[in-house]
Every structure is written in structure tokens, then in C-alpha cells.
Amino acid sequence: MSSLLGLSFIGFARGQSTAAPYRAINPATATALEPDFFPATAAEADKACILAAQATPTLAALSGKKKAAFLRDIATRIEAATPSLVARATQETGLPEARCQGEIGRTMGQLRLFADLVEKGDWIDARIETANPDRKPLPKPDHRSLLRPIGPVAVFCASNFPFAYSVAGGDTASAFAAGCPVIVMGHHAHIGTAEIMGGLIVEAVKANQLPEGTFSLLMGEGRVIGQQVAKHPALRAIGFTGSRVGGRALMDTAAARPTPIPVYAEMSSVNPVVLLEGALASRGDAIATGLLGSCTLGVGQFCTQPGLIVLTRSDAAESFINKLSALFTDCADGVMLTAGIHQAYQKGLTARAAQAGVKVVAQGKSSGQPNRAVATLFATDAKTFVADASLQEEIFGPSSLVIWCADQREVDAVLGALHGNLTATIHGTDAELAQHAALIARLEAIAGRVVVNGFPTGVEVSHAIVHGGPYPSLSDGRTTSVGSNAIYRFTRLVCFQNYPDAALPTELQNLNPLGLSRLVNGSRSNSAL
Ligand code: NAP
């Protein structure tokens, strides 16, 4: 693709690196794609961080309207460039065209959601406690607080979402919305797509007359260049989506800095699905079809892929598993995103099949083509599962583990042993759901989103969505990486004491010129003071 240079964006300049190049690989054919991509040098990464630090005060002072215009401009440019983005991404990832089109739609939707949020302005959580000079024994000062941008954010792109969790994805959109400069670490799985997207953002930065350091995109290895950025004194936060090993490495780097910074890493989740007998008896076949679809969607390469299926022995459960096994056996293989992800999947299957107390109950068809994952269903019993924490490790791909429980006590033991997850799902009749309130409460304790009579894949981008959960699904289980609440990750609270009105941020001034909903002396108000 001749328009690609294979060079980083260091603010408005292109990288000049001549370091050993690498290429994107088409995983469907295992062939390298043109052109060469040149890893950013240490000096270029340093420059990107310094530019970001320089841009910080200007971005922090931007009005919600200006930030909204910038975010909408990026979305408009993505819309216009959709054909070239799709053409490159389908080659680099093996993902079908319709999936890429859909993901671009979602990416533009995210940018526009954040634009609407910051234009409205209430998200900033303005609070005012007016002074009381007559209070005894001490006068009460005037306190006004709001959320401020945290500063430069490094975003590590996800292999499995070339758009929605990559260069212009949710982390970048929420950091820009908060008023933070962003340094993106492109993922080698779709580095050409990253370059096209990076160019669109740079154009939007220029068109909106924002400072040069608002955005940089670095090519190269996350383990090298990404680590350097993570240690840079100018950096204030990290957004990451990928493996637990990678996320944990960044958490450790961030914690070991002279000035530690927060890492918002979305890492691994096995998304348990609990199936109650009545639901299986009344609609077992429909649940099996839905579950197969959820397990194998996108070749199982979703963070919400249901990797654990928990059920109690009964005739309905036996016939459900027979149906599910037949569906798995019929399943065609699918091309995975990278050779590395395919190798990790194969390794995971081999290790699990060799584990004592675990057996393969169904396996799909293999075409023998490169980098294809074969859907695989394993089964074990509750005692084996509870005794072996490795059975909770994510096998990233179209594989699930059935956990047979003898009774409700074993179901409770399985749920009690579970680590943090992005989602937990339960299927039951109305009567069962009413009867199992304690079980549903257990699911809430281990997951950021509890799904009733549905399937966990398909994450809505909205104001109410939570795409987070206790560790290890997220590094910080108090947050979400999808939806408008993701903006709060890149902010910090500041309180202004006894400020003259004119010196206060507009959002906190007496006249409430932006008409915000503010908490004034404990009560919500849109009025002037
Ligand atoms: P990854 O290996 O964690 O890499 C993600 C990004 O982080 C890449 O840019 C990578 O850079 C960087 N990185 C990795 N280790 C790092 C370290 N120690 N320090 C700094 N940066 C580091 O994930 P992946 O390549 O996307 O896929 C590999 C495996 O991750 C999959 O097989 C799967 O198990 C898991 N995964 C899980 C999810 C999920 O949603 N749960 C999503 C994607 C992947 P370089 O590789 O260029 O060094």
C-alpha cells in the first residue's frame, strides 16, 4: 500500500527511524504485507512524551465545546476513510469486512458519545460548598471541586479490536474527552491500519488548532518502546487491552516508577455462565445455540467470550450438553488474528487436554489452513475445578470448559473459587431466578456485568455499560473501559478554596454560565448562586 510510510507520528512530524523494520502479516495466508514499518527510536519516544507534556495545559483549558468538535471531527474523518481502513484491516487481521465495518461504526459512535458528554459538561462533577464565616468554633471556607484531566496518557492498542480498542478507540476517545494528550503504542497485528488512523487524528489535531503534542503514534515493540513510554516522567496514566502478562508487566513498571501512575489494563476474563435446570428443560436447545454463537463469535477472540459453563447434573443438563457438543463438532475452524495468538491457543488446548480430571467432549472441524482455531469443548467436575486455579486461566479463542456440579453446594463452591471477571451470566426460569437470589448476588461479587437469560458477548457502548470487573479482568476493578464512565479513569479531583469568583474555572463560577447540574451545599442545582 503505497500511501503507508511505516513511520511513527511524533506530534506533527514523521519518525525518521531506520531501525530493523517489521511487517504486518496476513494471518489467513501467513504472508507478509507491504510496506516495512520502522520501530520508533528511543529519542522519538522521548520527544512524543515531551510534546505531550507541553500540550497538557492547553488541552486542560479547552472548553467542552472545543473538545466535542475535535472528537466529532475525528469521527467524520474516519467515516470518510472507511473504505481504506476496512481494506487494510481485513488483510492484517483476517477479520471479515462486515465485522470491520461494524467496528468502525462503533468507534465513531464512541467518539460521538464522548463528544455529547463533554459538550453537555455535567460529567465534570462540579461541587460547591459555600463559606460560612459565622460558623463556630471555626469559620467554614468556600470549597469548590471538579474533575481535571490527569495529563499525558499512553494507550496500548488491542490485537482483537483494530478500531474500537485501538488508535482512535475507547481509551483514546475517553482520554481526549477528559482533556489529556495521548501517545498510542500501535499493535503489530494491525500496524498499517494504525498508521491510516493515526494520520486521520493528526489531521484533526491540526484542523482544530490543537497543540502538536495532543497525539503521537509509535511503531515498534510494546515491550521496548512501550516500556520506555511507561517509565517516562511526563506520563500520567496508561490504558491497555491485552494479555494478563502484558498488563501485569505495565502495572509493575508503573508502580516501580519514582512517581507511580495508574494503569487501566483490561486483561483476562473467563466469563462464567451458570445454567439452571428449569431453563435447560424449557429451552435447552435455544441456550445451546446461543452459547455456541457467543463462544465462537469472532473466533472466540473477545474478552467477554464465555469460557466456563457451570451446571448441575440432571436429564435436562445431559441433553443440553449433548446438543452443545453436536454444535461444537459441526463448527468450522476460523482464522485467528496473529500466528502468536494461534500458537497460544494451541498451547492452551494441549495443556488443558493433558490436565488430570479434564476431558475433551467435542471438537470442531479443521481445514488445515494456517492460523485456524478449532472450537473445543472441555469438561471437568466441580472438585477438580476448585482444586486447580489454572483451570480459570483464559484460553483466548473458541474454547469453553463445562463444570459439572453434583448439587447446589458444589455450584456455590465453584462460584466461591472464581477470580474477577468482566461478566457473569445466569439462565433460569422466573421462579428459579427468584429462588436463587443468593447465587445472583455471588455473581455480582465477581463480575462487572451480570447477564440474565442472555449471552455476554456484544458489549453495548452507552452511559450505563460497565466493561470492568475485579482483578484480573481489570487492573482496577472500580472502573470501566467502555462507555462514558471510562472518562473518569483519566481525571483527578481538584478543590479550590476561597477563590475569587473570576479566578475559578467557568464550571464553578457563581453565575453557572454553562448551566451545569452542580451539587451546591448537598443539593443538585442548575441555578446560579
Ligand atoms: P499482549 O501480548 O498483551 O500485547 C498487547 C500490547 O501490549 C502489545 O502492544 C504488546 O507489545 C504490549 N506488551 C506486551 N507485553 C508487554 C510488556 N511486558 N511491556 C510493555 N508492553 C507490552 O496481547 P496480544 O498481542 O494482543 O495477544 C496475546 C495474548 O493476549 C492472547 O493470546 C490472549 O491470551 C491475550 N489477549 C486477551 C484479550 C482479552 O480481551 N482478554 C485481548 C487480546 C489479547 P509487543 O507485543 O509489540 O511487545
Side-chain angles (χ1 to χ4, degrees), residues 98-132:
R99 154 73 195 274
C100 289
Q101 293 273 7
E103 204 187 309
I104 288 176
R106 176 184 167 145
T107 307
M108 295 186 297
Q110 286 180 157
L111 288 158
R112 290 174 177 141
L113 177 86
F114 283 110
D116 293 347
L117 184 81
V118 295
E119 191 169 55
K120 197 157 173 265
D122 292 331
W123 75 276
I124 207 150
D125 196 18
R127 295 172 181 225
I128 297 174
E129 289 282 328
T130 50
N132 179 359

PDB file of all heavy atoms in Angstrom, residues 98-132:
ATOM      1  N   ALA A  98     -17.523  -7.214   7.090  1.00  0.00           N
ATOM      2  CA  ALA A  98     -18.692  -6.734   7.842  1.00  0.00           C
ATOM      3  C   ALA A  98     -18.314  -6.432   9.291  1.00  0.00           C
ATOM      4  O   ALA A  98     -18.786  -5.455   9.884  1.00  0.00           O
ATOM      5  CB  ALA A  98     -19.805  -7.771   7.793  1.00  0.00           C
ATOM      6  N   ARG A  99     -17.457  -7.279   9.867  1.00  0.00           N
ATOM      7  CA  ARG A  99     -17.020  -7.036  11.251  1.00  0.00           C
ATOM      8  C   ARG A  99     -16.246  -5.715  11.326  1.00  0.00           C
ATOM      9  O   ARG A  99     -16.436  -4.918  12.261  1.00  0.00           O
ATOM     10  CB  ARG A  99     -16.187  -8.224  11.728  1.00  0.00           C
ATOM     11  CG  ARG A  99     -15.176  -7.957  12.824  1.00  0.00           C
ATOM     12  CD  ARG A  99     -15.783  -7.732  14.208  1.00  0.00           C
ATOM     13  NE  ARG A  99     -14.800  -7.143  15.104  1.00  0.00           N
ATOM     14  CZ  ARG A  99     -13.914  -7.830  15.825  1.00  0.00           C
ATOM     15  NH1 ARG A  99     -13.912  -9.143  15.788  1.00  0.00           N
ATOM     16  NH2 ARG A  99     -13.044  -7.191  16.597  1.00  0.00           N
ATOM     17  N   CYS A 100     -15.349  -5.490  10.352  1.00  0.00           N
ATOM     18  CA  CYS A 100     -14.555  -4.249  10.375  1.00  0.00           C
ATOM     19  C   CYS A 100     -15.469  -3.034  10.209  1.00  0.00           C
ATOM     20  O   CYS A 100     -15.324  -2.033  10.916  1.00  0.00           O
ATOM     21  CB  CYS A 100     -13.481  -4.274   9.292  1.00  0.00           C
ATOM     22  SG  CYS A 100     -12.159  -5.442   9.659  1.00  0.00           S
ATOM     23  N   GLN A 101     -16.423  -3.139   9.287  1.00  0.00           N
ATOM     24  CA  GLN A 101     -17.376  -2.033   9.085  1.00  0.00           C
ATOM     25  C   GLN A 101     -18.115  -1.746  10.391  1.00  0.00           C
ATOM     26  O   GLN A 101     -18.240  -0.596  10.812  1.00  0.00           O
ATOM     27  CB  GLN A 101     -18.435  -2.415   8.025  1.00  0.00           C
ATOM     28  CG  GLN A 101     -17.909  -2.581   6.626  1.00  0.00           C
ATOM     29  CD  GLN A 101     -17.870  -1.264   5.853  1.00  0.00           C
ATOM     30  OE1 GLN A 101     -18.124  -0.210   6.425  1.00  0.00           O
ATOM     31  NE2 GLN A 101     -17.524  -1.340   4.585  1.00  0.00           N
ATOM     32  N   GLY A 102     -18.591  -2.818  11.021  1.00  0.00           N
ATOM     33  CA  GLY A 102     -19.347  -2.659  12.266  1.00  0.00           C
ATOM     34  C   GLY A 102     -18.494  -2.035  13.358  1.00  0.00           C
ATOM     35  O   GLY A 102     -18.953  -1.172  14.116  1.00  0.00           O
ATOM     36  N   GLU A 103     -17.244  -2.473  13.429  1.00  0.00           N
ATOM     37  CA  GLU A 103     -16.369  -1.946  14.485  1.00  0.00           C
ATOM     38  C   GLU A 103     -16.028  -0.477  14.244  1.00  0.00           C
ATOM     39  O   GLU A 103     -15.865   0.289  15.199  1.00  0.00           O
ATOM     40  CB  GLU A 103     -15.107  -2.807  14.549  1.00  0.00           C
ATOM     41  CG  GLU A 103     -14.464  -2.734  15.917  1.00  0.00           C
ATOM     42  CD  GLU A 103     -13.135  -3.445  15.947  1.00  0.00           C
ATOM     43  OE1 GLU A 103     -13.046  -4.606  15.519  1.00  0.00           O
ATOM     44  OE2 GLU A 103     -12.168  -2.813  16.415  1.00  0.00           O
ATOM     45  N   ILE A 104     -15.925  -0.100  12.976  1.00  0.00           N
ATOM     46  CA  ILE A 104     -15.679   1.318  12.682  1.00  0.00           C
ATOM     47  C   ILE A 104     -16.901   2.138  13.120  1.00  0.00           C
ATOM     48  O   ILE A 104     -16.759   3.216  13.715  1.00  0.00           O
ATOM     49  CB  ILE A 104     -15.368   1.518  11.180  1.00  0.00           C
ATOM     50  CG1 ILE A 104     -13.971   0.957  10.869  1.00  0.00           C
ATOM     51  CG2 ILE A 104     -15.432   2.995  10.801  1.00  0.00           C
ATOM     52  CD1 ILE A 104     -13.579   1.011   9.413  1.00  0.00           C
ATOM     53  N   GLY A 105     -18.082   1.604  12.859  1.00  0.00           N
ATOM     54  CA  GLY A 105     -19.306   2.293  13.301  1.00  0.00           C
ATOM     55  C   GLY A 105     -19.296   2.490  14.808  1.00  0.00           C
ATOM     56  O   GLY A 105     -19.626   3.561  15.327  1.00  0.00           O
ATOM     57  N   ARG A 106     -18.880   1.453  15.502  1.00  0.00           N
ATOM     58  CA  ARG A 106     -18.824   1.527  16.966  1.00  0.00           C
ATOM     59  C   ARG A 106     -17.787   2.562  17.422  1.00  0.00           C
ATOM     60  O   ARG A 106     -18.008   3.304  18.383  1.00  0.00           O
ATOM     61  CB  ARG A 106     -18.467   0.136  17.482  1.00  0.00           C
ATOM     62  CG  ARG A 106     -18.268   0.066  18.956  1.00  0.00           C
ATOM     63  CD  ARG A 106     -17.828  -1.321  19.321  1.00  0.00           C
ATOM     64  NE  ARG A 106     -17.334  -1.309  20.683  1.00  0.00           N
ATOM     65  CZ  ARG A 106     -17.482  -2.304  21.529  1.00  0.00           C
ATOM     66  NH1 ARG A 106     -18.105  -3.392  21.162  1.00  0.00           N
ATOM     67  NH2 ARG A 106     -17.000  -2.222  22.732  1.00  0.00           N
ATOM     68  N   THR A 107     -16.659   2.599  16.715  1.00  0.00           N
ATOM     69  CA  THR A 107     -15.595   3.551  17.065  1.00  0.00           C
ATOM     70  C   THR A 107     -16.076   4.990  16.891  1.00  0.00           C
ATOM     71  O   THR A 107     -15.858   5.846  17.755  1.00  0.00           O
ATOM     72  CB  THR A 107     -14.359   3.271  16.179  1.00  0.00           C
ATOM     73  OG1 THR A 107     -14.039   1.891  16.321  1.00  0.00           O
ATOM     74  CG2 THR A 107     -13.171   4.117  16.582  1.00  0.00           C
ATOM     75  N   MET A 108     -16.770   5.245  15.781  1.00  0.00           N
ATOM     76  CA  MET A 108     -17.307   6.596  15.566  1.00  0.00           C
ATOM     77  C   MET A 108     -18.372   6.901  16.616  1.00  0.00           C
ATOM     78  O   MET A 108     -18.451   8.020  17.140  1.00  0.00           O
ATOM     79  CB  MET A 108     -17.903   6.704  14.159  1.00  0.00           C
ATOM     80  CG  MET A 108     -16.856   6.552  13.071  1.00  0.00           C
ATOM     81  SD  MET A 108     -17.474   6.850  11.405  1.00  0.00           S
ATOM     82  CE  MET A 108     -18.692   5.569  11.206  1.00  0.00           C
ATOM     83  N   GLY A 109     -19.169   5.890  16.946  1.00  0.00           N
ATOM     84  CA  GLY A 109     -20.211   6.071  17.965  1.00  0.00           C
ATOM     85  C   GLY A 109     -19.605   6.446  19.313  1.00  0.00           C
ATOM     86  O   GLY A 109     -20.119   7.308  20.028  1.00  0.00           O
ATOM     87  N   GLN A 110     -18.477   5.803  19.654  1.00  0.00           N
ATOM     88  CA  GLN A 110     -17.805   6.113  20.931  1.00  0.00           C
ATOM     89  C   GLN A 110     -17.326   7.557  20.945  1.00  0.00           C
ATOM     90  O   GLN A 110     -17.494   8.283  21.932  1.00  0.00           O
ATOM     91  CB  GLN A 110     -16.594   5.205  21.128  1.00  0.00           C
ATOM     92  CG  GLN A 110     -16.948   3.791  21.493  1.00  0.00           C
ATOM     93  CD  GLN A 110     -15.757   2.868  21.689  1.00  0.00           C
ATOM     94  OE1 GLN A 110     -15.878   1.878  22.372  1.00  0.00           O
ATOM     95  NE2 GLN A 110     -14.619   3.136  21.101  1.00  0.00           N
ATOM     96  N   LEU A 111     -16.693   7.967  19.826  1.00  0.00           N
ATOM     97  CA  LEU A 111     -16.175   9.339  19.754  1.00  0.00           C
ATOM     98  C   LEU A 111     -17.330  10.335  19.912  1.00  0.00           C
ATOM     99  O   LEU A 111     -17.218  11.339  20.635  1.00  0.00           O
ATOM    100  CB  LEU A 111     -15.462   9.551  18.420  1.00  0.00           C
ATOM    101  CG  LEU A 111     -14.101   8.831  18.297  1.00  0.00           C
ATOM    102  CD1 LEU A 111     -13.715   8.617  16.842  1.00  0.00           C
ATOM    103  CD2 LEU A 111     -13.003   9.620  19.016  1.00  0.00           C
ATOM    104  N   ARG A 112     -18.447  10.030  19.269  1.00  0.00           N
ATOM    105  CA  ARG A 112     -19.594  10.962  19.328  1.00  0.00           C
ATOM    106  C   ARG A 112     -20.270  10.931  20.696  1.00  0.00           C
ATOM    107  O   ARG A 112     -20.781  11.952  21.163  1.00  0.00           O
ATOM    108  CB  ARG A 112     -20.573  10.643  18.195  1.00  0.00           C
ATOM    109  CG  ARG A 112     -19.958  11.024  16.833  1.00  0.00           C
ATOM    110  CD  ARG A 112     -20.792  10.602  15.645  1.00  0.00           C
ATOM    111  NE  ARG A 112     -20.161  11.082  14.411  1.00  0.00           N
ATOM    112  CZ  ARG A 112     -20.102  10.401  13.258  1.00  0.00           C
ATOM    113  NH1 ARG A 112     -20.645   9.203  13.180  1.00  0.00           N
ATOM    114  NH2 ARG A 112     -19.511  10.920  12.210  1.00  0.00           N
ATOM    115  N   LEU A 113     -20.259   9.768  21.329  1.00  0.00           N
ATOM    116  CA  LEU A 113     -20.822   9.681  22.694  1.00  0.00           C
ATOM    117  C   LEU A 113     -20.032  10.589  23.639  1.00  0.00           C
ATOM    118  O   LEU A 113     -20.604  11.356  24.429  1.00  0.00           O
ATOM    119  CB  LEU A 113     -20.753   8.232  23.190  1.00  0.00           C
ATOM    120  CG  LEU A 113     -21.233   7.984  24.614  1.00  0.00           C
ATOM    121  CD1 LEU A 113     -22.740   7.777  24.640  1.00  0.00           C
ATOM    122  CD2 LEU A 113     -20.565   6.745  25.229  1.00  0.00           C
ATOM    123  N   PHE A 114     -18.694  10.505  23.549  1.00  0.00           N
ATOM    124  CA  PHE A 114     -17.863  11.358  24.418  1.00  0.00           C
ATOM    125  C   PHE A 114     -18.003  12.828  24.041  1.00  0.00           C
ATOM    126  O   PHE A 114     -17.959  13.704  24.917  1.00  0.00           O
ATOM    127  CB  PHE A 114     -16.396  10.908  24.383  1.00  0.00           C
ATOM    128  CG  PHE A 114     -16.142   9.677  25.206  1.00  0.00           C
ATOM    129  CD1 PHE A 114     -15.835   8.460  24.612  1.00  0.00           C
ATOM    130  CD2 PHE A 114     -16.240   9.726  26.597  1.00  0.00           C
ATOM    131  CE1 PHE A 114     -15.628   7.327  25.378  1.00  0.00           C
ATOM    132  CE2 PHE A 114     -16.032   8.598  27.371  1.00  0.00           C
ATOM    133  CZ  PHE A 114     -15.725   7.390  26.759  1.00  0.00           C
ATOM    134  N   ALA A 115     -18.192  13.097  22.740  1.00  0.00           N
ATOM    135  CA  ALA A 115     -18.396  14.494  22.315  1.00  0.00           C
ATOM    136  C   ALA A 115     -19.662  15.052  22.979  1.00  0.00           C
ATOM    137  O   ALA A 115     -19.648  16.156  23.553  1.00  0.00           O
ATOM    138  CB  ALA A 115     -18.508  14.570  20.794  1.00  0.00           C
ATOM    139  N   ASP A 116     -20.741  14.283  22.938  1.00  0.00           N
ATOM    140  CA  ASP A 116     -22.001  14.748  23.552  1.00  0.00           C
ATOM    141  C   ASP A 116     -21.814  14.946  25.061  1.00  0.00           C
ATOM    142  O   ASP A 116     -22.309  15.913  25.640  1.00  0.00           O
ATOM    143  CB  ASP A 116     -23.130  13.720  23.322  1.00  0.00           C
ATOM    144  CG  ASP A 116     -23.512  13.627  21.839  1.00  0.00           C
ATOM    145  OD1 ASP A 116     -23.095  14.514  21.057  1.00  0.00           O
ATOM    146  OD2 ASP A 116     -24.207  12.657  21.478  1.00  0.00           O
ATOM    147  N   LEU A 117     -21.086  14.020  25.665  1.00  0.00           N
ATOM    148  CA  LEU A 117     -20.882  14.078  27.123  1.00  0.00           C
ATOM    149  C   LEU A 117     -20.148  15.357  27.532  1.00  0.00           C
ATOM    150  O   LEU A 117     -20.577  16.068  28.454  1.00  0.00           O
ATOM    151  CB  LEU A 117     -20.068  12.857  27.558  1.00  0.00           C
ATOM    152  CG  LEU A 117     -19.839  12.701  29.053  1.00  0.00           C
ATOM    153  CD1 LEU A 117     -21.066  12.070  29.698  1.00  0.00           C
ATOM    154  CD2 LEU A 117     -18.615  11.821  29.342  1.00  0.00           C
ATOM    155  N   VAL A 118     -19.044  15.636  26.843  1.00  0.00           N
ATOM    156  CA  VAL A 118     -18.234  16.784  27.282  1.00  0.00           C
ATOM    157  C   VAL A 118     -18.875  18.106  26.849  1.00  0.00           C
ATOM    158  O   VAL A 118     -18.682  19.127  27.495  1.00  0.00           O
ATOM    159  CB  VAL A 118     -16.764  16.711  26.819  1.00  0.00           C
ATOM    160  CG1 VAL A 118     -16.071  15.534  27.469  1.00  0.00           C
ATOM    161  CG2 VAL A 118     -16.618  16.634  25.310  1.00  0.00           C
ATOM    162  N   GLU A 119     -19.658  18.068  25.770  1.00  0.00           N
ATOM    163  CA  GLU A 119     -20.343  19.298  25.365  1.00  0.00           C
ATOM    164  C   GLU A 119     -21.388  19.671  26.412  1.00  0.00           C
ATOM    165  O   GLU A 119     -21.536  20.832  26.778  1.00  0.00           O
ATOM    166  CB  GLU A 119     -21.009  19.084  24.005  1.00  0.00           C
ATOM    167  CG  GLU A 119     -21.521  20.363  23.385  1.00  0.00           C
ATOM    168  CD  GLU A 119     -21.926  20.118  21.944  1.00  0.00           C
ATOM    169  OE1 GLU A 119     -22.753  19.201  21.703  1.00  0.00           O
ATOM    170  OE2 GLU A 119     -21.407  20.820  21.073  1.00  0.00           O
ATOM    171  N   LYS A 120     -22.103  18.676  26.908  1.00  0.00           N
ATOM    172  CA  LYS A 120     -23.109  18.920  27.943  1.00  0.00           C
ATOM    173  C   LYS A 120     -22.421  19.390  29.230  1.00  0.00           C
ATOM    174  O   LYS A 120     -22.888  20.319  29.886  1.00  0.00           O
ATOM    175  CB  LYS A 120     -23.903  17.632  28.166  1.00  0.00           C
ATOM    176  CG  LYS A 120     -25.194  17.815  28.872  1.00  0.00           C
ATOM    177  CD  LYS A 120     -26.165  16.672  28.582  1.00  0.00           C
ATOM    178  CE  LYS A 120     -27.386  16.820  29.451  1.00  0.00           C
ATOM    179  NZ  LYS A 120     -27.316  16.034  30.677  1.00  0.00           N
ATOM    180  N   GLY A 121     -21.354  18.723  29.604  1.00  0.00           N
ATOM    181  CA  GLY A 121     -20.489  19.236  30.675  1.00  0.00           C
ATOM    182  C   GLY A 121     -20.750  18.751  32.086  1.00  0.00           C
ATOM    183  O   GLY A 121     -19.883  18.885  32.950  1.00  0.00           O
ATOM    184  N   ASP A 122     -21.925  18.143  32.337  1.00  0.00           N
ATOM    185  CA  ASP A 122     -22.249  17.760  33.725  1.00  0.00           C
ATOM    186  C   ASP A 122     -21.311  16.692  34.293  1.00  0.00           C
ATOM    187  O   ASP A 122     -21.179  16.559  35.511  1.00  0.00           O
ATOM    188  CB  ASP A 122     -23.681  17.216  33.811  1.00  0.00           C
ATOM    189  CG  ASP A 122     -24.714  18.291  33.543  1.00  0.00           C
ATOM    190  OD1 ASP A 122     -24.426  19.466  33.828  1.00  0.00           O
ATOM    191  OD2 ASP A 122     -25.793  17.958  33.030  1.00  0.00           O
ATOM    192  N   TRP A 123     -20.670  15.928  33.388  1.00  0.00           N
ATOM    193  CA  TRP A 123     -19.816  14.815  33.822  1.00  0.00           C
ATOM    194  C   TRP A 123     -18.718  15.270  34.781  1.00  0.00           C
ATOM    195  O   TRP A 123     -18.199  14.494  35.565  1.00  0.00           O
ATOM    196  CB  TRP A 123     -19.156  14.152  32.597  1.00  0.00           C
ATOM    197  CG  TRP A 123     -18.048  14.975  32.018  1.00  0.00           C
ATOM    198  CD1 TRP A 123     -18.166  15.994  31.135  1.00  0.00           C
ATOM    199  CD2 TRP A 123     -16.651  14.882  32.342  1.00  0.00           C
ATOM    200  NE1 TRP A 123     -16.932  16.550  30.864  1.00  0.00           N
ATOM    201  CE2 TRP A 123     -15.988  15.886  31.584  1.00  0.00           C
ATOM    202  CE3 TRP A 123     -15.894  14.057  33.173  1.00  0.00           C
ATOM    203  CZ2 TRP A 123     -14.601  16.069  31.659  1.00  0.00           C
ATOM    204  CZ3 TRP A 123     -14.521  14.248  33.243  1.00  0.00           C
ATOM    205  CH2 TRP A 123     -13.887  15.249  32.488  1.00  0.00           C
ATOM    206  N   ILE A 124     -18.394  16.551  34.724  1.00  0.00           N
ATOM    207  CA  ILE A 124     -17.229  17.072  35.436  1.00  0.00           C
ATOM    208  C   ILE A 124     -17.412  17.086  36.966  1.00  0.00           C
ATOM    209  O   ILE A 124     -16.488  17.291  37.731  1.00  0.00           O
ATOM    210  CB  ILE A 124     -16.898  18.463  34.868  1.00  0.00           C
ATOM    211  CG1 ILE A 124     -15.436  18.785  35.028  1.00  0.00           C
ATOM    212  CG2 ILE A 124     -17.750  19.552  35.464  1.00  0.00           C
ATOM    213  CD1 ILE A 124     -14.923  19.690  33.933  1.00  0.00           C
ATOM    214  N   ASP A 125     -18.670  16.808  37.408  1.00  0.00           N
ATOM    215  CA  ASP A 125     -18.984  16.654  38.836  1.00  0.00           C
ATOM    216  C   ASP A 125     -18.624  17.904  39.653  1.00  0.00           C
ATOM    217  O   ASP A 125     -17.889  17.826  40.649  1.00  0.00           O
ATOM    218  CB  ASP A 125     -18.279  15.408  39.402  1.00  0.00           C
ATOM    219  CG  ASP A 125     -18.863  14.985  40.742  1.00  0.00           C
ATOM    220  OD1 ASP A 125     -19.986  15.422  41.063  1.00  0.00           O
ATOM    221  OD2 ASP A 125     -18.192  14.224  41.473  1.00  0.00           O
ATOM    222  N   ALA A 126     -19.162  19.041  39.208  1.00  0.00           N
ATOM    223  CA  ALA A 126     -18.913  20.301  39.927  1.00  0.00           C
ATOM    224  C   ALA A 126     -19.640  20.288  41.274  1.00  0.00           C
ATOM    225  O   ALA A 126     -20.825  19.977  41.354  1.00  0.00           O
ATOM    226  CB  ALA A 126     -19.402  21.473  39.079  1.00  0.00           C
ATOM    227  N   ARG A 127     -18.905  20.613  42.330  1.00  0.00           N
ATOM    228  CA  ARG A 127     -19.482  20.640  43.696  1.00  0.00           C
ATOM    229  C   ARG A 127     -19.105  21.944  44.378  1.00  0.00           C
ATOM    230  O   ARG A 127     -17.946  22.376  44.295  1.00  0.00           O
ATOM    231  CB  ARG A 127     -18.961  19.469  44.527  1.00  0.00           C
ATOM    232  CG  ARG A 127     -19.423  18.150  43.986  1.00  0.00           C
ATOM    233  CD  ARG A 127     -18.750  17.011  44.708  1.00  0.00           C
ATOM    234  NE  ARG A 127     -19.220  15.756  44.136  1.00  0.00           N
ATOM    235  CZ  ARG A 127     -19.587  14.700  44.840  1.00  0.00           C
ATOM    236  NH1 ARG A 127     -19.503  14.720  46.155  1.00  0.00           N
ATOM    237  NH2 ARG A 127     -20.016  13.613  44.253  1.00  0.00           N
ATOM    238  N   ILE A 128     -20.056  22.509  45.063  1.00  0.00           N
ATOM    239  CA  ILE A 128     -19.801  23.790  45.728  1.00  0.00           C
ATOM    240  C   ILE A 128     -20.294  23.714  47.176  1.00  0.00           C
ATOM    241  O   ILE A 128     -21.435  23.293  47.431  1.00  0.00           O
ATOM    242  CB  ILE A 128     -20.536  24.940  44.984  1.00  0.00           C
ATOM    243  CG1 ILE A 128     -19.984  25.063  43.551  1.00  0.00           C
ATOM    244  CG2 ILE A 128     -20.403  26.249  45.749  1.00  0.00           C
ATOM    245  CD1 ILE A 128     -20.718  26.052  42.670  1.00  0.00           C
ATOM    246  N   GLU A 129     -19.439  24.080  48.087  1.00  0.00           N
ATOM    247  CA  GLU A 129     -19.833  24.255  49.494  1.00  0.00           C
ATOM    248  C   GLU A 129     -19.541  25.716  49.820  1.00  0.00           C
ATOM    249  O   GLU A 129     -18.363  26.115  49.882  1.00  0.00           O
ATOM    250  CB  GLU A 129     -19.000  23.356  50.409  1.00  0.00           C
ATOM    251  CG  GLU A 129     -19.318  21.891  50.315  1.00  0.00           C
ATOM    252  CD  GLU A 129     -20.584  21.499  51.065  1.00  0.00           C
ATOM    253  OE1 GLU A 129     -20.896  22.134  52.106  1.00  0.00           O
ATOM    254  OE2 GLU A 129     -21.259  20.555  50.603  1.00  0.00           O
ATOM    255  N   THR A 130     -20.574  26.518  49.979  1.00  0.00           N
ATOM    256  CA  THR A 130     -20.329  27.949  50.192  1.00  0.00           C
ATOM    257  C   THR A 130     -19.805  28.219  51.613  1.00  0.00           C
ATOM    258  O   THR A 130     -20.034  27.436  52.540  1.00  0.00           O
ATOM    259  CB  THR A 130     -21.614  28.758  49.941  1.00  0.00           C
ATOM    260  OG1 THR A 130     -22.665  28.155  50.670  1.00  0.00           O
ATOM    261  CG2 THR A 130     -21.956  28.793  48.461  1.00  0.00           C
ATOM    262  N   ALA A 131     -19.126  29.344  51.740  1.00  0.00           N
ATOM    263  CA  ALA A 131     -18.485  29.687  53.013  1.00  0.00           C
ATOM    264  C   ALA A 131     -19.522  30.066  54.072  1.00  0.00           C
ATOM    265  O   ALA A 131     -20.628  30.512  53.758  1.00  0.00           O
ATOM    266  CB  ALA A 131     -17.542  30.863  52.791  1.00  0.00           C
ATOM    267  N   ASN A 132     -19.156  29.840  55.311  1.00  0.00           N
ATOM    268  CA  ASN A 132     -19.968  30.345  56.433  1.00  0.00           C
ATOM    269  C   ASN A 132     -19.005  30.975  57.437  1.00  0.00           C
ATOM    270  O   ASN A 132     -18.453  30.297  58.310  1.00  0.00           O
ATOM    271  CB  ASN A 132     -20.765  29.198  57.058  1.00  0.00           C
ATOM    272  CG  ASN A 132     -21.597  29.685  58.223  1.00  0.00           C
ATOM    273  OD1 ASN A 132     -21.567  30.872  58.562  1.00  0.00           O
ATOM    274  ND2 ASN A 132     -22.330  28.757  58.831  1.00  0.00           N
TER     275      ASN A 132
END
